[in-house]
Amino acid sequence: MNSRNHASWQKRILLFLTSQCITLFGSTLVQMALIWYAAMETASGTWVAAFTLCSYLPQFLTSFLGGAWADRYPGKVLIIGADALTASATLFMALAMKHFPSEPALLRGLLVMSAVRSVGAGIQTPAVQAVIPRLVPADQLARYAFSDRLIGKLLIIYGLFTFFCVPAGYLAGLFVRRVFGETYWYLSGVELTGFAGMTAGGIVMSIWGGFRRRSRTLAASLFAFGLFALGMGLPTDFILYLILMLFYGIALTMAQTSLTTMLQENTAPAVQGRVFGLLSTMYAGFLPAGMAVFGPLADILPLRWVMAGSGLALMILAGIVIGSRQLRNV
């Protein structure tokens, strides 16, 4: 590849990823505000679970169609259309909030808005994932070799990973409110620290790249992720909790990067839209499933116990990756 072509694809992918980072940042702010509102106003794991279900279950159902569209229609049209849908729903709700007659009515309206935004995500996410390999030259990703069994295992691992990260990750706001107090400064600290950890994890992976065998990187990051999830349920000191959250975010990004790269390297270009549509489906399906289990469970058992149990499960999942003959050779 000559230097001109190399610079050309790098410019395209930089512009594309920058635009998606801006979109992701806005979506994260909205989702964070909704979870904060549910946690602070209700202090209920069930309400937090309800918001998460409305945020991800429609995405789970839409991802099947979104993945097929990503292979059939222009990615630019799908991404812009989905972005416009989510932005319109958010703007409409922002203007209508003051007209709701009661708090329960407002909560129900926010749930509907979350569901509409989730439909847009179900269309946009597989389109984005499918566009990236088309912008980057093949020799910058790897050789492609489609393997149904391998991809199936990776998708299942991703689903289980998403399911068990719910207590320490998506119920963090509820945990902070119950253990450290109901203040938005604490919640802001948790979100910023988690974001810093994920950013640091991305930097680590971009510089280091992981072990030669990506399965070793995946297993190591899953084990660390589970260990920090277990540890986050133990401290009574908020600073120590934030330190654990930082490393939790690093391990999270490393696990996601390893798994996504393994899928990109082992999926034929012609079906990448559908495969990454399935990846989005696993995320959008296992996350609400995890919330449906762990949210109400957090109203019955101490959330510390729930977090510790999920951490142990993630460490076991790391052992399964190491023990799988098919995965450990990748």
Side-chain angles (χ1 to χ4, degrees):
M1 181 187 300
N2 60 47
S3 59
R4 178 176 299 178
N5 289 337
H6 184 77
S8 177
W9 77 258
Q10 283 193 325
K11 181 179 180 180
R12 290 198 307 271
I13 197 66
L14 178 62
L15 291 173
F16 178 71
L17 291 178
T18 300
S19 69
Q20 292 308 302
C21 284
I22 294 171
T23 298
L24 178 62
F25 180 71
S27 297
T28 302
L29 284 179
V30 174
Q31 187 61 30
M32 180 177 66
L34 290 173
I35 298 299
W36 282 15
Y37 185 81
M40 297 297 285
E41 294 297 319
T42 68
S44 167
T46 301
W47 265 110
V48 173
F51 271 97
T52 307
L53 284 169
C54 285
S55 297
Y56 294 100
L57 185 58
Q59 180 180 350
F60 167 73
L61 298 174
T62 311
S63 290
F64 294 101
L65 184 61
W69 284 357
D71 290 328
R72 188 176 303 172
Y73 301 114
K76 182 187 294 187
V77 174
L78 294 174
I79 294 170
I80 293 175
D83 257 345
L85 175 65
T86 57
S88 299
T90 307
L91 178 62
F92 175 81
M93 190 62 195
L95 296 175
M97 284 182 68
K98 61 182 179 181
H99 300 293
F100 283 91
S102 64
E103 192 74 16
L106 176 58
L107 287 170
R108 289 192 292 269
L110 291 172
L111 288 175
V112 172
M113 182 199 72
S114 296
V116 174
R117 289 172 53 85
S118 181
V119 170
I123 298 172
Q124 181 179 6
T125 303
V128 170
Q129 297 281 9
V131 163
I132 291 176
R134 298 170 190 170
L135 295 177
V136 180
D139 61 354
Q140 298 297 318
L141 286 174
R143 291 162 50 200
Y144 291 102
F146 186 83
S147 173
D148 287 341
R149 291 185 62 191
L150 174 61
I151 290 173
K153 286 185 176 181
L154 289 172
L155 289 173
I156 291 173
I157 289 170
Y158 183 74
L160 293 174
F161 164 72
T162 302
F163 180 83
F164 288 114
C165 80
V166 165
Y170 292 91
L171 294 179
L174 185 63
F175 179 79
V176 168
R177 186 193 186 282
R178 290 180 178 179
V179 176
F180 301 109
E182 50 179 297
T183 167
Y184 283 103
W185 286 110
Y186 281 162
L187 292 174
S188 299
V190 169
E191 296 294 340
L192 289 173
T193 302
F195 178 76
M198 289 186 286
T199 303
I203 294 173
V204 169
M205 289 299 291
S206 65
I207 296 175
W208 173 43
F211 296 111
R212 185 176 61 86
R213 290 184 178 176
R214 302 200 188 278
S215 58
R216 292 181 60 191
T217 309
L218 176 61
S221 56
L222 281 174
F223 184 85
F225 188 69
L227 184 64
F228 291 123
L230 189 155
M232 284 165 61
L234 302 179
T236 56
D237 180 76
F238 185 64
I239 299 301
L240 178 57
Y241 176 80
L242 288 181
I243 293 173
L244 291 170
M245 173 64 80
L246 178 70
F247 287 101
Y248 178 88
I250 294 174
L252 170 66
T253 301
M254 292 177 65
Q256 288 181 328
T257 302
S258 301
L259 200 147
T260 302
T261 303
M262 290 170 73
L263 280 173
Q264 287 177 333
E265 290 177 341
N266 293 279
T267 303
V271 294
Q272 284 195 350
R274 271 162 277 194
V275 169
F276 283 103
L278 284 174
L279 186 70
S280 301
T281 298
M282 300 300 285
Y283 179 81
F286 276 83
L287 180 57
M291 290 301 302
V293 172
F294 296 119
L297 191 61
D299 291 336
I300 301 172
L301 297 176
L303 191 47
R304 294 180 186 275
W305 296 3
V306 179
M307 291 166 63
S310 66
L312 287 173
L314 287 163
M315 295 166 72
I316 293 172
L317 185 61
I320 293 174
V321 173
I322 291 294
S324 171
R325 182 175 6 179
Q326 191 172 27
L327 288 176
R328 67 170 176 253
N329 292 326
V330 178

